[in-house]
Amino acid sequence: MRTTMLRRTASAVAAATAAALVLAGCSTEGSKPAADGKIVLEIATFGDWGYAPYIEQWKAKHPDVTVEYETAGGGDDQREKLLNFLGQDSGLACVEALEVDWLGELKQFSDRFVDLADPELEDRWFDWKSEMATTDDGKVVGYGTDIGPQAVAYRADLFKAAGLPSDREAVAEYLGGADATWERFYEVGAEFTTKSDAAWFESVQGAYTAMINQVEHAYENEDGTPKDLAGSEVERIFRTVLRHGTEQKQSAGLAQWSSDWNASFKRNDTFAVVLAPSWMAGTIKGNAGEGFVGWDIANVFPGGGGNWGGSYLSVPAQCKHPEEAKDLAAYLTSAEVTLDQAVKNGGGTPSQVEAMNSPKLLPLTNPFFDNAPTGRIWADRAAAVKVVPFKGPNYKKVHDVVVAGLNRVDVDKSQSVDQSWAQVLSDLKSLN
């Protein structure tokens, strides 16, 4: 499904945010001559992606270009900004970050992006990473930055106190090793909750997201049209995670990214497990605190591999200096830069094949997680990803409706499972 009319609706908050960005964009138009005659390029990411030193490196080879780095706002703000200004002649930076969950939504407007296809870069990324940013007619709208292969992050101290294996290799085997299943995951969760005051996992939303990311066509058909979710695999997973999470009390009932959720990572009475993508290792450490002891990571994941998240850098067509912007985006997504970022962060998950196979990456350990071999763990988890969900123009909108339904039961406790699922189906009918 394609359309040339961009969506113009936005919440008041998002509109206010976008308005501020309009002014910023109009003042610079994404790229403009500076007073000293240099070109000025803007790059905008949602949050600080640590690009400052690498931008300086790129600038050293491009003395006629100045780069302004914007890091304000979250992913939802970034999505709203792009939807509001992509159809205009100004308002966006020359390099804009995209998130995989709403990449399909923006690919509808591929004529508003510079084609980043480059024969010299064709083999830089994992095939599935590149394919998600490529249109049916071969246009590339984004260069991949990272991926989010998932493993089981767990509290070794709570496992030990409950009489479960606590060594990371033993935990992986206890959960099923290479044959780990969701049935075994919830079975161990039932065992844990009978022996501990803590819940098994942090939220139904987290468990659902992990499971749905293993479904190839969860919400949309191959042509991008929404699926009827009544009686679907989505409904089965919705009911499964709520049955284990709320009826069997395996969930801590926390809203992800809330202040309560943030504070729970250093308490002993909240939860023992996070189904963690690689980028969440930093979140866990940040929320628990540098000196906290107890978190570890097991090289295992129920149902095989899974990927949650990952981003791209794009160049909107409104940029006045697309070649320079394309070059900057290519440099920031090079194996050289992403590998250096991963090494300095104690292990990470570049989407570049060369970086993920680098002998510098595999030996990395993370002291916060009891020196877990995170270089090897994330490489193995990335290799285990066999199914990548199709995320078309409706994915983000449908996912948000389903997650709201989960949270009505798990967090707000305002509805039963049946009531909430009925509202999900009703809300989906009124989406468009």
Side-chain angles (χ1 to χ4, degrees), residues 54 335-350 355 358-367 374-375:
Y54 307 107
E336 172 188 351
V337 169
T338 56
L339 177 61
D340 192 63
Q341 285 186 302
V343 170
K344 289 178 177 175
N345 291 330
T349 50
S358 170
K360 294 181 179 178
L361 188 71
L362 294 179
L364 292 177
T365 60
N366 191 320
T374 47

Side-chain angles (χ1 to χ4, degrees), residues 37 41 113 213 215 228 243 361 394:
L41 295 182
F113 290 96
N213 277 332
V215 179
D228 180 0
R243 181 174 72 255
L361 188 71
N394 296 287

Side-chain angles (χ1 to χ4, degrees), residues 256-271:
Q256 285 193 324
W257 318 115
S258 67
S259 57
D260 287 344
W261 184 82
N262 291 338
S264 66
F265 285 83
K266 53 188 173 184
R267 291 171 50 187
N268 291 331
D269 60 346
T270 50
F271 55 82

Side-chain angles (χ1 to χ4, degrees), residues 361-424:
L361 188 71
L362 294 179
L364 292 177
T365 60
N366 191 320
F368 178 80
F369 293 94
D370 196 20
N371 291 310
T374 47
R376 169 53 62 188
I377 289 174
W378 299 129
D380 285 351
R381 292 298 94 213
V385 176
K386 304 302 181 186
V387 175
V388 179
F390 171 74
K391 298 186 176 182
N394 296 287
Y395 187 92
K396 166 70 172 171
K397 291 178 288 188
V398 175
H399 186 70
D400 285 351
V401 169
V402 177
V403 167
L406 294 167
N407 287 337
R408 284 193 294 272
V409 183
D410 184 43
V411 180
D412 303 338
K413 306 188 189 312
S414 59
Q415 290 183 337
S416 68
V417 175
D418 288 341
Q419 289 171 334
S420 189
W421 180 248
Q423 184 172 333
V424 166

